[in-house]
């Protein structure tokens, strides 16, 4: 109690205590039915045991904006141990801040305990970035430490009310993204908020409030201190948000790409592959918005493809055989980028699968297409080829051929094959044991 009081009295940044607005359903129209059954059950159970519990964050914001939420997060005054005790299928996770995952049917609901303001106790690095803050607080403090006003809304599915400490509902109506507290201070605490601001604005079609927008450019270099893995997660979220094109356009406008986000440098600074990269981002947006799956592997395969093509070409020019040259080029590009971008091994393997299929899809001689179509990653490789054709890198006819081939039955497929030519074989035999290698085999 006393500590809390002192914190409030001595910290000029601590929010002045004020009554939140309690907005009834008649004003916000978010009905409890739009909350997932699992999240509703989680909130109800916590409430029945005497705790405060609300659906918070992105889900409330998205429902208010007429979007369907990705997932549902719950905030409560119960400690992680108390939450854990109430749900048989649950586990405590996280080190930076411990939260509880409650499993309900196929759903996982993230339950976090109200956090205190970070005014004093938090441990920071020399730039003011918060490293650890594990102090529980009350609901008002929890609201104050969230990033944007529209993300600090608490929905009670039982009463169907929204508790709003920072005029988030009004901001969302006015299409404004506003930071809670002093923008510079909040960006310093966590520079990832610079990226979140741009992502949220692009996703919801909001204008960033001038006070929050002004410091973005000058504070951009703070991103250098953020661990690569965290940046990668945030960039991935951005790329698969369904609004990647708009997000990247805005990042560029805010000066948030050059030299700070290796991934964006890769995307934006390739004169050769620019058209291909933007096409693939637009394609990813369309897929996400149509409710289809996208894989990070596919996305990164597109982003780095033209680098691979350039490296491959350089090696072939130096006399390397096509197939080994492709593998060496892939490794070269991945070695360079995987570390910078924090691409995991598993994603790197997916990327390679897609790349390796490309020359195989270009070689339609003999019975090869029959084997390629059986490859486990064929569909991804084919989707990738469609993008290459659309960008003009390969003939449209090639992609059309594969589209027909996929739809054809066995008999029709056989009729589509190009017979293997005798002379090609002869030449191949002659070159054996040296020379320039054998392209036909190379593509196998
Ligand atoms: P989405 O899940 O649609 O990307 P979200 O707002 O739910 O958006 P999450 O990363 O899931 O984003 O975070 C959930 C909530 O946690 C946010 O709405 C916000 O209130 C709070 N939050 C997340 N990241 C930060 C941050 N860096 N600083 C302060 N609050 C944050
Ligand atoms: Mg979320």
């Amino acid at each position: 109690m006393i500590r809390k009081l002192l914190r409030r009295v001595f910290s000029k940044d601590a929010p002045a205590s004020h009554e939140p607005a309690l907005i009834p359903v008649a004003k916000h129209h978010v009905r409890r039915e739009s909350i997932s059954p699992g999240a509703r059950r989680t909130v109800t159970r916590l409430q029945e045991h005497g705790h405060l519990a609300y659906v918070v964050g992105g889900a409330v914001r998205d429902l208010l904006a007429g979007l369907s939420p990705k997932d549902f997060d719950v905030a409560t005054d119960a400690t992680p141990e108390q939450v854990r005790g109430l749900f048989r299928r649950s586990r405590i996770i996280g080190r930076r801040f411990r939260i509880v995952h409650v499993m309900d049917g196929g759903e996982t609901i993230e339950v976090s305990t109200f956090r205190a303001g970070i005014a004093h106790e938090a441990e920071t690095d020399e730039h003011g970035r918060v490293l650890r803050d594990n102090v529980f607080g009350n609901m008002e403090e929890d609201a104050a430490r969230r990033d944007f006003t529209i993300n600090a809304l608490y929905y009670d599915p039982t009463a169907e009310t929204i508790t709003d400490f920072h005029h988030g509902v009004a901001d969302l109506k006015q299409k404004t993204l506003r930071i809670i507290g002093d923008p510079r201070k909040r960006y310093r605490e966590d520079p990832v908020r610079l990226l979140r601001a741009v992502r949220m604005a692009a996703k919801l079609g909001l204008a960033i409030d001038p006070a929050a927008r002004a410091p973005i450019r000058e504070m951009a270099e703070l991103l250098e201190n953020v661990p690569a893995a965290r940046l990668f997660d945030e960039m991935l979220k951005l790329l698969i948000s369904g609004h990647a094109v708009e997000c990247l356009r805005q990042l560029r406008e805010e000066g948030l790409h050059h030299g700070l986000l290796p991934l964006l440098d890769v995307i934006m600074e390739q004169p050769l592959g620019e058209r291909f990269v933007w096409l693939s981002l637009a394609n990813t947006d369309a897929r996400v918005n149509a409710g289809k799956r996208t894989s990070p592997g596919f996305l990164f395969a597109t982003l780095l493809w033209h680098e691979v093509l350039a490296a491959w070409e350089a090696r072939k020019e130096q006399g390397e055989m096509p197939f080994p040259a492709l593998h060496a080029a892939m490794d070269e590009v991945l070695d360079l980028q995987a570390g910078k971008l924090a691409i995991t091994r598993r994603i790197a393997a997916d990327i390679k699968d897609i790349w390796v299929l490309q020359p195989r899809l270009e070689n339609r001689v003999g019975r090869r297409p029959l084997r390629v179509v059986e490859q486990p990653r064929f569909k991804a490789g084919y989707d990738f080829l469609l993008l290459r054709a659309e960008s003009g890198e390969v003939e449209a006819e090639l992609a059309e051929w594969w589209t027909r081939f996929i739809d054809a039955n066995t008999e029709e497929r056989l009729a589509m094959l190009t017979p293997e030519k005798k002379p090609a074989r002869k030449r191949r035999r002659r070159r054996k044991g040296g020379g320039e290698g054998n392209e036909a085999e190379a593509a196998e």
Side-chain angles (χ1 to χ4, degrees), residues 57-58 61-62 70-71 73 145-147 151 186 190 193 196 199-200 203 230 237:
R61 175 198 73 213
D62 288 354
K70 272 197 332 247
D71 44 39
D73 299 329
R145 67 173 310 291
R146 291 178 183 270
D147 45 9
N151 282 347
R186 301 305 308 278
D190 181 8
R193 289 174 187 149
R196 288 179 58 88
R199 175 162 65 88
M200 298 287 162
K203 171 176 169 170
R230 176 124 194 269
K237 269 195 179 181

Short mmCIF file of all heavy atoms in Angstrom, two decimals, residues 57-58 61-62 70-71 73 145-147 151 186 190 193 196 199-200 203 230 237, ligand 1:
data_model
loop_
_atom_site.label_atom_id
_atom_site.label_comp_id
_atom_site.label_asym_id
_atom_site.label_seq_id
_atom_site.Cartn_x
_atom_site.Cartn_y
_atom_site.Cartn_z
N GLY A 57 -7.25 -5.99 -24.56
CA GLY A 57 -6.27 -5.81 -25.64
C GLY A 57 -6.88 -5.92 -27.02
O GLY A 57 -7.99 -5.47 -27.29
N GLY A 58 -6.11 -6.59 -27.89
CA GLY A 58 -6.43 -6.65 -29.32
C GLY A 58 -7.84 -7.13 -29.64
O GLY A 58 -8.47 -6.62 -30.57
N ARG A 61 -10.43 -4.34 -29.06
CA ARG A 61 -10.18 -3.34 -30.10
C ARG A 61 -10.72 -3.80 -31.45
O ARG A 61 -11.46 -3.08 -32.12
CB ARG A 61 -8.67 -3.13 -30.17
CG ARG A 61 -8.20 -2.21 -31.28
CD ARG A 61 -6.72 -2.44 -31.51
NE ARG A 61 -6.50 -3.72 -32.18
CZ ARG A 61 -5.43 -4.50 -31.98
NH1 ARG A 61 -4.49 -4.14 -31.13
NH2 ARG A 61 -5.30 -5.64 -32.63
N ASP A 62 -10.37 -5.04 -31.82
CA ASP A 62 -10.80 -5.55 -33.13
C ASP A 62 -12.32 -5.67 -33.21
O ASP A 62 -12.92 -5.35 -34.24
CB ASP A 62 -10.11 -6.89 -33.43
CG ASP A 62 -8.63 -6.71 -33.74
OD1 ASP A 62 -8.17 -5.55 -33.83
OD2 ASP A 62 -7.93 -7.72 -33.90
N LYS A 70 -7.97 -12.32 -33.62
CA LYS A 70 -7.12 -13.49 -33.83
C LYS A 70 -7.20 -14.42 -32.63
O LYS A 70 -7.24 -15.61 -32.76
CB LYS A 70 -5.65 -13.04 -33.93
CG LYS A 70 -5.20 -12.68 -35.29
CD LYS A 70 -3.66 -12.64 -35.37
CE LYS A 70 -2.95 -12.30 -34.10
NZ LYS A 70 -2.25 -11.07 -34.01
N ASP A 71 -7.14 -13.82 -31.46
CA ASP A 71 -7.18 -14.61 -30.24
C ASP A 71 -7.71 -13.74 -29.11
O ASP A 71 -7.90 -12.54 -29.29
CB ASP A 71 -5.78 -15.15 -29.90
CG ASP A 71 -4.71 -14.09 -30.08
OD1 ASP A 71 -4.98 -12.92 -29.75
OD2 ASP A 71 -3.62 -14.43 -30.57
N ASP A 73 -7.29 -12.52 -25.14
CA ASP A 73 -6.46 -12.44 -23.94
C ASP A 73 -7.34 -12.00 -22.78
O ASP A 73 -8.28 -11.23 -22.96
CB ASP A 73 -5.33 -11.43 -24.14
CG ASP A 73 -4.41 -11.82 -25.29
OD1 ASP A 73 -4.26 -13.03 -25.53
OD2 ASP A 73 -3.86 -10.92 -25.94
N ARG A 145 0.02 0.91 -18.30
CA ARG A 145 1.27 0.42 -18.88
C ARG A 145 1.09 -0.24 -20.25
O ARG A 145 2.03 -0.68 -20.88
CB ARG A 145 1.98 -0.53 -17.92
CG ARG A 145 1.23 -1.79 -17.70
CD ARG A 145 2.02 -2.76 -16.90
NE ARG A 145 3.36 -2.95 -17.43
CZ ARG A 145 3.65 -3.54 -18.57
NH1 ARG A 145 2.69 -3.98 -19.35
NH2 ARG A 145 4.90 -3.71 -18.94
N ARG A 146 -0.13 -0.28 -20.73
CA ARG A 146 -0.35 -0.77 -22.09
C ARG A 146 0.09 0.30 -23.08
O ARG A 146 0.28 1.45 -22.72
CB ARG A 146 -1.82 -1.16 -22.27
CG ARG A 146 -2.12 -2.40 -21.46
CD ARG A 146 -3.54 -2.87 -21.51
NE ARG A 146 -3.66 -4.02 -20.64
CZ ARG A 146 -3.49 -5.29 -21.02
NH1 ARG A 146 -3.22 -5.56 -22.28
NH2 ARG A 146 -3.59 -6.28 -20.15
N ASP A 147 0.24 -0.09 -24.33
CA ASP A 147 0.88 0.85 -25.26
C ASP A 147 -0.04 1.95 -25.81
O ASP A 147 0.25 3.14 -25.68
CB ASP A 147 1.59 0.11 -26.41
CG ASP A 147 0.77 -1.03 -27.01
OD1 ASP A 147 -0.42 -1.15 -26.67
OD2 ASP A 147 1.33 -1.77 -27.84
N ASN A 151 -5.73 -0.09 -27.07
CA ASN A 151 -5.35 -1.42 -26.58
C ASN A 151 -5.58 -1.56 -25.08
O ASN A 151 -5.23 -2.57 -24.49
CB ASN A 151 -3.87 -1.70 -26.87
CG ASN A 151 -3.65 -2.08 -28.32
OD1 ASN A 151 -4.60 -2.37 -29.04
ND2 ASN A 151 -2.40 -2.08 -28.74
N ARG A 186 7.65 6.23 -23.58
CA ARG A 186 7.12 4.91 -23.86
C ARG A 186 7.92 4.19 -24.94
O ARG A 186 8.11 2.98 -24.89
CB ARG A 186 5.64 4.97 -24.26
CG ARG A 186 4.69 5.60 -23.24
CD ARG A 186 4.72 4.99 -21.85
NE ARG A 186 4.57 3.55 -21.75
CZ ARG A 186 3.41 2.90 -21.76
NH1 ARG A 186 2.28 3.55 -21.88
NH2 ARG A 186 3.38 1.59 -21.62
N ASP A 190 10.37 0.63 -24.50
CA ASP A 190 10.26 -0.51 -25.39
C ASP A 190 10.17 -0.04 -26.84
O ASP A 190 9.10 0.29 -27.34
CB ASP A 190 9.02 -1.34 -25.03
CG ASP A 190 8.88 -2.56 -25.93
OD1 ASP A 190 9.81 -2.83 -26.70
OD2 ASP A 190 7.84 -3.25 -25.84
N ARG A 193 7.60 -0.68 -29.68
CA ARG A 193 6.35 0.10 -29.82
C ARG A 193 6.37 0.98 -31.07
O ARG A 193 5.32 1.33 -31.58
CB ARG A 193 6.12 0.95 -28.57
CG ARG A 193 5.73 0.12 -27.38
CD ARG A 193 5.63 0.90 -26.09
NE ARG A 193 5.43 0.00 -24.97
CZ ARG A 193 5.85 0.21 -23.74
NH1 ARG A 193 6.49 1.32 -23.44
NH2 ARG A 193 5.63 -0.68 -22.79
N ARG A 196 5.03 -1.33 -33.52
CA ARG A 196 3.62 -1.63 -33.22
C ARG A 196 2.73 -0.46 -33.64
O ARG A 196 1.63 -0.67 -34.13
CB ARG A 196 3.45 -1.94 -31.72
CG ARG A 196 4.03 -3.31 -31.34
CD ARG A 196 3.87 -3.60 -29.85
NE ARG A 196 2.49 -3.57 -29.38
CZ ARG A 196 1.66 -4.62 -29.39
NH1 ARG A 196 2.07 -5.77 -29.86
NH2 ARG A 196 0.43 -4.51 -28.92
N ARG A 199 2.20 -0.75 -37.28
CA ARG A 199 1.38 -1.92 -37.63
C ARG A 199 -0.09 -1.69 -37.28
O ARG A 199 -0.99 -1.95 -38.07
CB ARG A 199 1.91 -3.16 -36.91
CG ARG A 199 1.04 -4.39 -37.12
CD ARG A 199 1.78 -5.68 -36.78
NE ARG A 199 2.12 -5.79 -35.37
CZ ARG A 199 1.31 -6.32 -34.46
NH1 ARG A 199 0.12 -6.78 -34.80
NH2 ARG A 199 1.68 -6.41 -33.20
N MET A 200 -0.33 -1.18 -36.05
CA MET A 200 -1.71 -0.95 -35.63
C MET A 200 -2.40 0.06 -36.54
O MET A 200 -3.55 -0.10 -36.92
CB MET A 200 -1.77 -0.42 -34.19
CG MET A 200 -1.20 -1.33 -33.14
SD MET A 200 -2.28 -2.72 -32.84
CE MET A 200 -1.17 -3.85 -32.03
N LYS A 203 -3.10 -1.55 -39.89
CA LYS A 203 -4.12 -2.60 -39.80
C LYS A 203 -5.52 -2.00 -39.65
O LYS A 203 -6.48 -2.47 -40.26
CB LYS A 203 -3.80 -3.50 -38.60
CG LYS A 203 -4.90 -4.50 -38.28
CD LYS A 203 -4.50 -5.44 -37.16
CE LYS A 203 -5.72 -6.23 -36.70
NZ LYS A 203 -5.41 -7.33 -35.80
N ARG A 230 13.30 -10.84 -31.01
CA ARG A 230 12.07 -10.09 -30.72
C ARG A 230 11.67 -9.26 -31.95
O ARG A 230 10.50 -9.19 -32.31
CB ARG A 230 12.32 -9.20 -29.50
CG ARG A 230 11.18 -8.30 -29.13
CD ARG A 230 10.68 -8.47 -27.70
NE ARG A 230 9.39 -7.81 -27.56
CZ ARG A 230 9.25 -6.54 -27.18
NH1 ARG A 230 10.31 -5.81 -26.88
NH2 ARG A 230 8.05 -6.00 -27.11
N LYS A 237 4.91 -10.76 -37.46
CA LYS A 237 3.52 -10.36 -37.18
C LYS A 237 3.06 -9.35 -38.22
O LYS A 237 1.93 -9.40 -38.71
CB LYS A 237 3.43 -9.68 -35.82
CG LYS A 237 3.14 -10.59 -34.68
CD LYS A 237 2.71 -9.75 -33.47
CE LYS A 237 2.38 -10.60 -32.28
NZ LYS A 237 1.94 -9.80 -31.14
P1 LIG B 1 -2.61 -8.39 -32.37
O1 LIG B 1 -2.63 -9.60 -31.50
O2 LIG B 1 -3.81 -8.19 -33.20
O3 LIG B 1 -1.36 -8.26 -33.12
P2 LIG B 1 -2.62 -7.07 -29.86
O4 LIG B 1 -2.89 -5.65 -29.47
O5 LIG B 1 -3.48 -8.11 -29.26
O6 LIG B 1 -2.63 -7.12 -31.42
P3 LIG B 1 -0.49 -8.43 -28.57
O7 LIG B 1 0.96 -8.43 -28.90
O8 LIG B 1 -1.26 -9.69 -28.65
O9 LIG B 1 -1.13 -7.35 -29.53
O10 LIG B 1 -0.62 -7.79 -27.14
C1 LIG B 1 -1.81 -7.83 -26.36
C2 LIG B 1 -1.95 -6.55 -25.56
O11 LIG B 1 -0.83 -6.37 -24.70
C3 LIG B 1 -1.99 -5.28 -26.39
O12 LIG B 1 -3.28 -4.99 -26.85
C4 LIG B 1 -1.48 -4.25 -25.44
O13 LIG B 1 -2.48 -3.83 -24.55
C5 LIG B 1 -0.45 -5.01 -24.64
N1 LIG B 1 0.91 -4.89 -25.23
C6 LIG B 1 1.48 -5.71 -26.14
N2 LIG B 1 2.72 -5.33 -26.45
C7 LIG B 1 2.95 -4.23 -25.72
C8 LIG B 1 4.07 -3.37 -25.58
N3 LIG B 1 5.17 -3.55 -26.28
N4 LIG B 1 3.95 -2.34 -24.72
C9 LIG B 1 2.82 -2.15 -23.99
N5 LIG B 1 1.75 -2.92 -24.09
C10 LIG B 1 1.80 -3.94 -24.93
#
